[in-house]
Amino acid sequence: MDMLSALDATFIYLESEHSPMAIGAVYVIDSSDAPKGFCYKTWYSLVKSRLQLSKVFRQRLVEVPCDLSFPYWIRDPDFELDDHLPRVTLPSPGGLTELMQVAADTWGTVLNRERPLWDIAFVEGLDTIPGIAKGSYALITRVHHAAVDGKASTQMMTA
């Protein structure tokens, strides 16, 4: 069990429905660089095999009653990877505008505090976006600012 720092606790306290405190990115992955047959199922297995490389993946927040202390991180005993790796098909017509709308919709909601505070959406259907190879996919990442600083974020994405 690790107590949040004052700064990280501030990110929790300042968060609201209108001001989510997650950070994220959109990564477009050129499928021609991926191993033959790479798909959501393969990616899911890859993420599953690397969960032990960063404690952020399995930690969830526990808030102290009456705010008598800063919140704590605990290892989530009910961790379910399916809750963190949604598979998304880009809505029609499947352009860059739709990809950015999916990202905006993702980032515009607050992460569920009953689970580890991250998710990575695997987005398919990018074939009509000019300049992106057919069969490519995108990853839309989201992690709560309280869960990662620059070093932890790098560690998590490297994993």
Side-chain angles (χ1 to χ4, degrees):
M1 212 165 49
D2 297 315
M3 184 188 295
L4 272 68
S5 69
L7 178 61
D8 291 339
T10 300
F11 293 127
I12 295 296
Y13 299 145
L14 291 176
E15 183 171 56
S16 73
E17 173 185 326
H18 303 291
S19 183
M21 289 289 169
I23 54 176
V26 176
Y27 299 91
V28 176
I29 312 298
D30 184 337
S31 63
S32 62
D33 293 338
K36 186 169 176 56
F38 192 83
C39 61
Y40 174 80
K41 185 177 178 181
T42 309
W43 174 75
Y44 182 99
S45 295
L46 178 66
V47 173
K48 185 175 182 178
S49 74
R50 294 173 177 250
L51 290 175
Q52 77 282 1
L53 298 177
S54 175
K55 64 181 182 177
V56 172
F57 287 122
R58 292 184 187 260
Q59 289 186 139
R60 77 170 174 84
L61 190 68
V62 175
E63 297 185 64
V64 177
C66 302
D67 292 328
L68 294 174
S69 169
F70 294 142
Y72 285 83
W73 292 115
I74 65 163
R75 185 173 175 90
D76 185 359
D78 302 316
F79 179 77
E80 289 290 335
L81 186 57
D82 289 348
D83 293 335
H84 301 276
L85 301 178
R87 184 177 188 177
V88 177
T89 300
L90 204 58
S92 184
L96 192 55
T97 300
E98 288 74 26
L99 178 59
M100 292 300 103
Q101 187 61 55
V102 170
D105 292 345
T106 299
W107 296 328
T109 59
V110 174
L111 285 157
N112 182 345
R113 291 193 187 174
E114 298 299 313
R115 303 193 296 236
L117 298 177
W118 66 275
D119 55 31
I120 305 172
F122 186 95
V123 184
E124 301 168 301
L126 283 61
D127 290 349
T128 62
I129 301 175
I132 296 179
K134 301 289 186 223
S136 294
Y137 56 92
L139 300 176
I140 299 174
T141 65
R142 182 171 63 146
V143 61
H144 200 285
H145 208 314
V148 295
D149 56 16
K151 181 179 176 184
S153 179
T154 301
Q155 177 191 39
M156 184 180 183
M157 290 314 296
T158 300

